């Protein structure tokens, strides 16, 4: 007899399964893909790791991933530019005329960006629920006492933030949508690939790959979960499929989910945020910079490039396409996307930019087992909606996953904490998270 079925072998599902198994439960994970990790996906085809999904721990202080990664001895590399910072680490900025900013102008830009952030915080605090982030940005820019060029720079910079942080346009995001988005401490990336974490936590678990769950049916004894060709009975189920999959109605729930859950699924947005890695034959940007940033009107559609050469050992830049542009590139050919990125880089660096020798492009919106990149607080939604999805149904059906964790949605650590919460609810007692890397217990 299975105690708990977990649907989805991303970090939320693996965390829940591992904690339940360590508590002596018989747990089976059903995963649609032919790999584990979900949105933690390290591509090693080129002989070095390329993280197509998550890359960063966003803020080491107070983050449950920090002690976990340390105890598992997973190598990390400091890279504190993962949360769309204007400064803090060296960045090569270019103005609207594609001229590089010297030290004096960089300092002036950083002061402008910091002032704009203060004005934006005031505008957000004064924003009624149900108003959008774009409106708050416009109010902040109007209050910013500067000439038209400086206003335009802060305007575009602030608007791009929701594309990266939410995978959505600022007009789609609630004014309070980034209130919880606070980074404490440095950020790090994974020189050996972020998927080391789900892989290590998954060791010894009963994971059935290639199992696309179609229905979740509550029965008198608990739950019956069906794929196209199999059926599994258990006392509990933890559903960790991404919000995009829930929104699309790809899994049929019988009886239907309570209105409190379906309404919350409807209100929260699923953003699209794609990555484009370009490997160059040689480096054309300055040594020692973490990122390259285009400011002002030429910052559409490409604005930020991150130097990820230290991970691959090759000259490599990573740029992002989020929101409407992120959706649009998914129907473009790879060559057109690469040409478009290179054209933007050549505006700044001229012919010093060689043609890339390799590229990696994600299309998370079209991915049928994700249907988007991560959740965001759409206009009219709130962080309570995330937690509402996770309210247990009849003590049998539990949801977990990044979109169900209101305090830290859209992150790896939020997903992990949601899996921990589901495990504790099923066990009916607290389980210290620090036991997670502990020894596996044999099933009963
Ligand atoms: C491009 C990108 C960059 C990101 N960058 C960062 C970052 O730097 N730092 C950070 O903290 N977070 C980042 N995130 C977010 C982070 O990756 C996610 O929040 C986290 O990995 C989600 O974990 P999860 O377990 O909730 O969901 P998932 O990892 O998506 O796991 C859900 C699993 O359910 C499976 N599934 C779906 N449908 C079915 C079905 N019908 N039957 C069975 N299985 C099914 C899926 O295949 C998947 O394996 C990024 C995400 C993306 C896409």
């Amino acid at each position: 007899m299975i105690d708990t079925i977990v649907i989805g072998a991303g970090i939320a599902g693996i965390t829940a399964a591992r904690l339940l198994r360590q508590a002596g439960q018989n747990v089976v994970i059903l995963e649609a893909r032919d790999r584990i990790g979900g949105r933690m996906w390290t591509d090693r085809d080129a002989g070095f790791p390329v993280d197509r999904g998550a890359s960063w721990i966003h803020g080491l202080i107070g983050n449950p991933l920090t002690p976990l990664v340390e105890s598992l001895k997973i190598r990390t590399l400091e890279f504190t530019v993962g949360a769309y910072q204007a400064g803090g680490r060296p960045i090569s900025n270019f103005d609207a005329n594609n001229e590089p900013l010297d030290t004096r102008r960089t300092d002036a830009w950083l002061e402008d960006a910091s002032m704009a952030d203060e004005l934006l915080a005031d505008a957000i605090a004064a924003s009624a629920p149900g108003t959008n982030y774009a409106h708050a940005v416009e109010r902040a820019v109007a209050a910013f006492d500067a000439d038209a060029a400086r206003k335009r720079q802060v305007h575009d910079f602030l608007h791009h933030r929701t594309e990266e942080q939410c995978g959505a346009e600022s007009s789609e995001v609630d004014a309070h949508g980034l209130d919880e988005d606070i980074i404490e401490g440095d950020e790090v990336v994974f020189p050996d690939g972020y998927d080391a974490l789900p892989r290590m936590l998954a060791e010894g678990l009963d994971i059935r790959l290639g199992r696309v769950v179609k229905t979740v049916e509550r029965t008198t004894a608990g739950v019956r979960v069906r794929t196209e060709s199999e059926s599994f009975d258990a006392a509990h189920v933890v559903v960790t499929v991404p919000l995009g999959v829930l929104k699309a109605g790809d899994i049929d729930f019988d009886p239907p989910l309570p209105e409190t859950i379906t309404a919350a699924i409807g209100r929260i947005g699923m953003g699209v945020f794609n990555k484009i890695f370009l490997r160059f034959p040689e480096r054309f940007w300055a040594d020692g910079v973490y990122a390259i940033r285009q400011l002002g009107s030429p910052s559409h559609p490409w604005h930020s490039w991150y130097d990820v050469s230290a991970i691959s050992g090759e000259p490599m830049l990573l740029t992002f396409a989020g929101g409407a542009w992120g959706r649009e590139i998914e129907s473009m050919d790879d060559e057109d996307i690469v040409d478009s990125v290179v054209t933007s880089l050549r505006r700044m660096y001229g012919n010093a930019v060689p043609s890339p020798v390799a590229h990696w492009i994600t299309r998370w919106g079209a991915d049928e087992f994700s249907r988007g990149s991560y959740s965001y607080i759409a206009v009219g939604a709130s962080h309570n909606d995330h937690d509402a999805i996770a309210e247990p149904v009849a003590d049998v059906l539990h949801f977990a996953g990044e979109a169900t964790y209101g305090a830290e949605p859209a992150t790896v650590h939020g997903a992990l904490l949601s899996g921990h919460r589901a495990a504790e609810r099923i066990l009916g007692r607290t389980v210290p998270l620090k036991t997670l890397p502990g020894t596996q217990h044999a099933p009963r």
Side-chain angles (χ1 to χ4, degrees):
M1 172 70 183
I2 302 170
D3 294 304
T4 302
I5 295 169
V6 174
I7 306 177
I11 193 70
I14 288 171
T15 301
R18 182 153 175 140
L19 290 170
L20 290 169
R21 167 111 188 244
Q22 286 175 180
Q25 281 210 351
N26 186 11
V27 184
V28 171
I29 305 186
L30 301 176
E31 166 56 50
R33 302 180 198 270
D34 60 3
R35 61 169 179 85
I36 66 163
R39 283 170 277 173
M40 300 179 77
W41 177 20
T42 308
D43 180 340
R44 293 188 176 78
D45 286 354
F48 48 79
V50 176
D51 271 314
R52 289 174 162 271
S55 301
W56 272 272
I57 294 184
H58 291 306
L60 292 174
I61 295 177
N63 194 316
L65 293 174
T66 308
L68 185 57
V69 161
E70 267 171 26
S71 68
L72 292 171
K73 299 191 171 30
I74 300 175
R75 284 202 307 146
T76 58
L77 183 72
E78 187 276 321
F79 206 76
T80 314
V81 291
Y84 195 58
Q85 293 91 338
R89 295 291 184 268
I91 295 177
S92 290
N93 292 290
F94 289 76
D95 68 15
N97 299 316
N98 307 306
E99 294 297 331
L101 302 193
D102 60 17
T103 311
R104 185 187 58 78
R105 291 184 68 208
T106 299
D107 290 345
W109 155 242
L110 291 180
E111 263 179 46
D112 281 0
S114 156
M115 171 57 71
D117 265 334
E118 278 179 34
L119 293 168
L120 180 62
D122 293 343
I124 288 171
S127 295
T131 52
N132 68 31
Y133 198 87
H135 191 64
V137 168
E138 296 308 327
R139 292 233 302 270
V141 173
F144 181 54
D145 185 16
D147 63 27
R150 284 168 60 206
K151 271 179 179 283
R152 178 71 204 243
Q153 272 186 185
V154 301
H155 171 274
D156 291 2
F157 178 75
L158 294 178
H159 274 289
H160 288 316
R161 179 174 287 149
T162 59
E163 295 163 12
E164 289 211 0
Q165 304 298 88
C166 308
E169 299 301 304
S170 50
S171 56
E172 298 172 302
V173 177
D174 195 88
H176 293 280
L178 287 172
D179 284 1
E180 322 289 316
D181 194 44
I182 297 156
I183 304 294
E184 290 202 55
D186 280 350
E187 294 170 283
V188 295
V189 293
F190 292 81
D192 303 316
Y194 210 163
D195 74 347
L197 180 62
R199 277 167 187 263
M200 289 174 97
L201 294 179
E203 268 169 32
L205 296 178
D206 182 351
I207 303 179
R208 320 267 174 101
L209 298 177
R211 304 306 207 285
V212 182
V213 170
K214 299 285 185 193
T215 61
V216 173
E217 185 189 329
R218 272 188 285 134
T219 61
T220 43
V223 66
R224 176 163 297 157
V225 174
R226 289 181 207 272
T227 66
E228 215 135 63
S229 54
E230 291 167 291
S231 138
F232 302 83
D233 291 329
H236 298 100
V237 63
V238 184
V239 182
T240 75
V241 302
L243 178 69
V245 173
L246 293 175
K247 275 181 177 291
D250 292 348
I251 296 181
D252 199 28
F253 292 92
D254 180 19
L257 295 174
E259 203 271 334
T260 44
I261 293 183
T262 54
I265 289 172
R267 275 194 295 270
I268 302 173
M270 186 65 173
V272 170
F273 170 81
N274 281 311
K275 289 181 157 182
I276 297 95
F277 293 86
L278 297 181
R279 185 182 142 211
F280 293 94
E282 71 254 346
R283 189 185 180 88
F284 56 86
W285 58 97
D287 277 332
V289 297
Y290 282 63
I292 298 162
R293 182 159 285 133
Q294 171 74 71
L295 300 171
S297 51
S299 69
H300 304 271
W302 309 106
H303 50 82
S304 305
W305 291 261
Y306 300 88
D307 182 356
V308 291
S309 316
I311 300 169
S312 59
E314 301 286 336
M316 251 170 91
L317 292 175
L318 162 63
T319 188
F320 302 133
W325 181 237
R327 289 184 192 279
E328 197 175 327
I329 66 153
E330 295 205 2
S331 54
M332 290 166 61
D333 292 339
D334 280 17
E335 294 88 271
D336 292 339
I337 298 169
V338 171
D339 280 355
S340 172
V341 179
V342 169
T343 301
S344 291
L345 286 168
R346 287 195 177 135
R347 274 203 296 265
M348 295 181 288
Y349 289 93
N351 291 334
V353 182
S355 294
V357 289
H359 62 263
W360 294 255
I361 298 174
T362 67
R363 289 179 175 81
W364 284 100
D367 182 313
E368 64 174 319
F369 301 125
S370 196
R371 299 194 187 278
S373 301
Y374 35 72
S375 63
Y376 69 91
I377 311 283
V379 181
S382 84
H383 283 285
N384 296 332
D385 288 320
H386 291 292
D387 295 312
I389 301 176
E391 272 308 310
V393 181
D395 269 338
V396 168
L397 169 57
H398 299 257
F399 284 91
E402 59 82 13
T404 72
Y405 205 79
E408 305 278 353
T411 60
V412 169
H413 55 281
L416 178 126
L417 290 168
S418 76
H420 175 233
R421 178 182 58 191
E424 285 191 330
R425 284 179 174 167
I426 289 171
L427 294 170
R429 60 179 166 83
T430 56
V431 181
L433 196 53
K434 66 174 190 296
T435 60
L436 189 55
T439 325
Q440 296 277 335
H441 286 179
R444 279 205 304 262

